[in-house]
Amino acid sequence: MAANDHDSHSDDTSFTEEELQQAMCVLAGSDPENCSYSRGYVKRQAVFACNTCTPAAAEPAGVCLACANKCHDGHDIFELYTKRNFRCDCGNGKFGDFKCQLNPAKDEENNRNHYNHNFSGCYCTCERPYPDTEQQDEDEMIQCVICEDWFHMRHLGCAVTEPEELEEMVCEACMNKAPLLWTYAAHFAVQPVIKVSCNEEEEMDVKVEVEEENCEQNESRNEKTTSSAEHTEQEEMRKRSSPCKRTHKEMAGSPLKATTKSEVCRLKELQAQGTDRLRQGAVFWPYSWRSQLCTCTSCKKAYVAAEVPFLMDLSDTVLAYEKKGFDEPFGMHPLIALTSSMDRVQQLEVIYGFNEMTASIDTFVQQRTSEGKVITAEDVHELFEELRARKKRRTSAED
């Protein structure tokens, strides 16, 4: 879970190298210089909320990376990670007299934007902030890939053993919003872990198959035999569904192509098999699960009706967005090694500062080049003095 930028000064934990790379990729995948508004509803981008301009009592609003850096420099900004199909609100009707410095000509409202309580600094079904200063033992959080809200592990409605081994998650509310996903979950999702009492003295964790609600059903199902072909298919699916640890490079590899057969509905084929699973709690999926979804005409209409058509777009995922950041030089910058000993807030401040410094230098060089002037040592000194003064003003405003 990405912590709030200015509200997490009490967080003294440091990023691992891979976590810092991912944090950098959240920024690297978005344009730090130009307001994203002119690009329309961007498929996925880093989004921020400004508690100075639109406090919790005001209408929810989100700003892009460039506006967070340029227009809201020194403001109380908190990070919302990434959002899909979002258009920058900076300077529109929700901001009163405040105008965007990068793109002041904006509509009063972005009607297609979707907002949730994250824009007010609240998360999960418990409506708590992150980080939660009243909670001593901060629980790990994970984002639902459909509603994009963040949930505490303890509030997912199912037992979770190893948070670092989790894959993509869809919360129970979103599963019920698109009930056809339960059919796919019975075949392709990671099997849920629940507690089943086999006697009054012993309680153990077991992985359950569909509708195995007592130990007798478990034994009965385990005794069933299958043909060698079925066994091979089940073994392959088990390997794909196993929540084993993966590196980010492995997770961000080229995804499988989506099902393109239109003459046969795969959903109906799966439903005909009669396999089901307990429709309770969040569902965890292997990273290739979207490629298993049927894309026949009937199913496409069902996705649209359930407001989840983006599930058919494999390039829409957070992994695809982060992979773009990893492919950029910034994602592998030596800055990672230099910030390894810093806490989270310091690391994020360095990343933002690096973005700002890089942008300022680029602008400076382009201006001098267009004017046909030679860059002198005095010019460089003046530039860095300006950057230091800007940082001092921002620090003073935060205090």
Side-chain angles (χ1 to χ4, degrees), residues 1-3 11 13-15 79 342-348:
M1 169 66 187
D11 184 3
T13 60
S14 295
F15 278 155
E79 180 184 0
M342 299 179 181
D343 64 34
R344 183 183 186 87
V345 174
Q346 292 172 329
Q347 289 166 339
L348 286 174

Side-chain angles (χ1 to χ4, degrees), residues 9-41:
H9 290 272
S10 60
D11 184 3
D12 293 328
T13 60
S14 295
F15 278 155
T16 63
E17 179 175 331
E18 184 175 356
E19 288 172 335
L20 184 55
Q21 287 177 350
Q22 292 181 23
M24 284 181 159
C25 287
V26 171
L27 302 181
S30 296
D31 189 342
E33 288 300 308
N34 304 294
C35 177
S36 64
Y37 181 85
S38 59
R39 295 166 55 197
Y41 291 86

Side-chain angles (χ1 to χ4, degrees), residues 76 91 145 174 342 369 372:
D76 181 12
V145 297
C174 287
M342 299 179 181
T369 301

Side-chain angles (χ1 to χ4, degrees), residues 25 44 64 79 91 170 191 197 210 245 280 305 338 355 366 369 380:
C25 287
R44 183 167 295 279
C64 67
E79 180 184 0
V170 177
Q191 292 299 326
S197 295
V210 293
K245 293 182 179 179
Q280 178 180 330
L338 297 177
N355 265 342
Q366 291 174 7
T369 301
V380 175

Side-chain angles (χ1 to χ4, degrees), residues 30-308:
S30 296
D31 189 342
E33 288 300 308
N34 304 294
C35 177
S36 64
Y37 181 85
S38 59
R39 295 166 55 197
Y41 291 86
V42 180
K43 177 177 292 187
R44 183 167 295 279
Q45 64 176 308
V47 176
F48 303 79
C50 180
N51 200 39
T52 302
C53 298
T54 55
E59 291 187 77
V63 302
C64 67
L65 174 60
C67 287
N69 288 335
K70 304 294 183 180
C71 305
H72 301 269
D73 184 25
H75 291 191
D76 181 12
I77 297 289
F78 59 93
E79 180 184 0
L80 296 174
Y81 197 49
T82 69
K83 298 291 182 183
R84 78 169 65 85
N85 296 331
F86 197 87
R87 198 174 194 183
C88 181
D89 288 320
C90 179
N92 68 10
K94 296 185 175 185
F95 287 77
D97 295 332
F98 183 89
K99 297 300 180 183
C100 177
Q101 300 176 27
L102 301 178
N103 193 340
K106 294 182 177 180
D107 293 338
E108 283 294 301
E109 187 175 354
N110 294 314
N111 296 321
R112 289 170 52 192
N113 279 357
H114 291 284
Y115 307 92
N116 59 18
H117 59 175
N118 295 170
F119 289 82
S120 299
C122 297
Y123 305 87
C124 191
T125 56
C126 60
E127 297 285 340
R128 298 299 301 167
Y130 184 91
D132 192 344
T133 55
E134 297 181 5
Q135 183 70 33
Q136 293 183 350
D137 298 326
E138 189 66 42
D139 191 7
E140 185 79 13
M141 300 190 80
I142 185 171
Q143 188 181 39
C144 172
V145 297
I146 290 183
C147 68
E148 298 186 309
D149 194 5
W150 292 83
F151 295 84
H152 294 104
M153 298 298 181
R154 63 181 181 273
H155 294 151
L156 290 177
C158 61
V160 180
T161 55
E162 297 292 339
E164 69 273 15
E165 295 179 354
L166 298 182
E167 303 174 331
E168 285 199 326
M169 184 273 288
V170 177
C171 69
E172 182 178 349
C174 287
M175 289 295 296
N176 291 330
K177 176 182 175 182
L180 76 165
L181 294 181
W182 287 114
T183 298
Y184 290 102
H187 295 268
F188 306 120
V190 177
Q191 292 299 326
V193 178
I194 66 172
K195 290 185 181 296
V196 177
S197 295
C198 291
N199 54 56
E200 296 179 356
E201 299 179 355
E202 181 179 4
E203 187 177 75
M204 60 184 178
D205 287 341
V206 298
K207 291 201 171 186
V208 296
E209 299 292 340
V210 293
E211 296 185 350
E212 295 175 338
E213 299 180 2
N214 56 56
C215 293
E216 292 181 357
Q217 289 175 317
N218 286 340
E219 293 174 358
S220 175
R221 183 169 296 276
N222 288 335
E223 290 173 356
K224 291 184 177 181
T225 60
T226 60
S227 65
S228 59
E230 290 174 334
H231 177 76
T232 301
E233 181 180 355
Q234 291 172 0
E235 181 64 18
E236 289 300 317
M237 191 55 60
R238 183 192 66 77
K239 291 179 180 180
R240 289 197 294 269
S241 300
S242 177
C244 57
K245 293 182 179 179
R246 295 172 172 81
T247 64
H248 192 278
K249 182 178 181 180
E250 292 171 333
M251 294 187 297
S254 300
L256 297 176
K257 292 184 178 180
T259 303
T260 57
K261 292 183 178 181
S262 58
E263 65 277 8
V264 178
C265 178
R266 189 171 195 186
L267 177 63
K268 291 181 179 179
E269 289 182 337
L270 295 175
Q271 291 172 337
Q273 295 179 22
T275 306
D276 202 354
R277 66 174 273 162
L278 185 65
R279 299 194 175 194
Q280 178 180 330
V283 175
F284 297 93
W285 306 79
Y287 290 103
S288 61
W289 74 280
R290 302 189 195 199
S291 65
Q292 305 293 341
L293 299 177
C294 179
T295 55
C296 72
T297 302
S298 177
C299 285
K300 286 181 179 179
K301 292 180 179 179
Y303 299 139
V304 172
E307 299 181 346
V308 293

